[in-house]
Amino acid sequence: MKESILIVEDEKDIVKMLDYNLKKEGFKTSAVYDGEDALDTANKECPDLIVLDLMLPGMDGLEVCKALKSASKTAAIPIIMLTAKGQETDKIVGLELGADDYMTKPFSPRELIARIKAVIRRGKDKDKPLEVVRIGGLKIDFLKISVTVKDKPVELTAKEFELLKTLIKAKGRVLSRDYLLDNIWGFDNAVEIQTRTVDVHIRTLRQKLKSEAKRIVTVKNYGYRFEYED
């Protein structure tokens, strides 16, 4: 089956160029020209990947990225951002919000397609069942549902284990509190009292992970991500 790509870009010449090159590579494409339509189309079509320009009329690309990553239906859709040369800060914020990659304009269509293929391939690898993962002094056995830190067993509740598993599977991407609530607790459209549930579980999880607690990183006003690097 052909992978589907949603192009979100207000410059029609770029849309035309991307549409032509992506179809030539065997992808299915659709295109929208502003942020509102991007959210609507992403919800309806659930594309395999979104190419998202940051400079959009009305709702900009960062707002679109945040909204997509906050909604459980679209949070897992990979995003490659297109940025102008002077948008270094926006680029960093976009990656913190959960975008998978970025390209600076002007860009080579061939390189963009290579990156699209790489991101889609990583997504497929991420969906493979996890067995045993070792990160620093942390070892997680997903089949035996066990965790050790520096070879010492760590007793986690079912929800704490699911929380740790979800963060690890995200491969460094930021997960919003709403996403975690919906996927682990089954709460949608979380209210404040429910979002505190995530923070409390994160706090107890960090306490239990001790020296490896630093790997659970807080992204201010948004959520959490798991840090693989020491």
Side-chain angles (χ1 to χ4, degrees):
M1 181 186 283
K2 291 180 180 179
E3 283 98 352
S4 58
I5 311 292
L6 173 61
I7 303 163
V8 186
E9 168 64 70
D10 63 327
E11 293 185 45
K12 294 190 176 180
D13 287 344
I14 293 178
V15 171
K16 192 174 177 181
M17 177 267 289
L18 288 175
D19 184 65
Y20 171 78
N21 283 282
L22 287 167
K23 281 178 175 168
K24 193 176 167 186
E25 287 292 319
F27 292 106
K28 221 172 96 180
T29 64
S30 56
V32 294
Y33 302 93
D34 61 58
E36 304 277 353
D37 285 345
L39 296 180
D40 188 48
T41 306
N43 269 290
K44 285 178 183 171
E45 297 183 2
C46 285
D48 293 297
L49 183 139
I50 297 172
V51 176
L52 174 65
D53 184 36
L54 285 193
M55 297 295 287
L56 294 170
M59 177 185 271
D60 68 24
L62 290 177
E63 292 177 273
V64 174
C65 183
K66 185 172 182 178
L68 289 169
K69 295 301 177 181
S70 298
S72 57
K73 189 175 179 182
T74 55
I77 300 172
I79 295 173
I80 294 180
M81 301 184 308
L82 302 180
T83 73
K85 276 188 177 177
Q87 293 173 283
E88 190 69 29
T89 304
D90 287 347
K91 192 188 301 176
I92 292 165
V93 173
L95 292 173
E96 286 181 343
L97 290 176
D100 295 76
D101 203 350
Y102 67 87
M103 288 206 67
T104 303
K105 295 178 180 178
F107 56 86
S108 153
R110 185 180 294 179
E111 186 184 352
L112 177 60
I113 287 166
R115 293 200 188 193
I116 287 171
K117 288 178 178 178
V119 169
I120 289 174
R121 187 167 59 248
R122 284 203 306 267
K124 288 177 180 175
D125 290 342
K126 188 179 70 178
D127 292 335
K128 289 178 182 175
L130 293 171
E131 293 182 3
V132 178
V133 172
R134 290 179 177 84
I135 305 148
L138 185 63
K139 178 186 171 186
I140 308 101
D141 189 322
F142 293 99
L143 298 179
K144 295 179 181 177
I145 313 180
S146 70
V147 177
T148 60
V149 173
K150 294 182 178 176
D151 298 323
K152 292 182 180 178
V154 176
E155 295 296 326
L156 299 182
T157 66
K159 286 288 187 275
E160 287 165 356
F161 187 85
E162 283 302 311
L163 183 56
L164 180 61
K165 179 180 177 180
T166 303
L167 287 166
I168 288 170
K169 280 190 74 175
K171 300 281 186 184
R173 289 169 61 186
V174 183
L175 300 180
S176 71
R177 290 174 176 83
D178 286 357
Y179 176 84
L180 291 167
L181 278 168
D182 192 27
N183 282 266
I184 297 170
W185 283 268
F187 298 148
D188 206 357
N189 299 317
V191 295
E192 186 184 351
I193 191 69
Q194 293 170 340
T195 60
R196 287 198 203 118
T197 301
V198 176
D199 297 335
V200 169
H201 278 74
I202 288 285
R203 187 163 64 246
T204 57
L205 182 55
R206 280 173 171 154
Q207 287 167 354
K208 291 180 179 182
L209 294 181
K210 296 181 179 177
S211 61
E212 298 298 323
K214 61 189 177 185
R215 296 191 182 279
I216 300 175
V217 179
T218 303
V219 178
K220 193 177 178 183
N221 299 325
Y222 190 71
Y224 300 95
R225 66 179 177 83
F226 188 87
E227 178 62 67
Y228 278 74
E229 301 297 326
D230 286 317

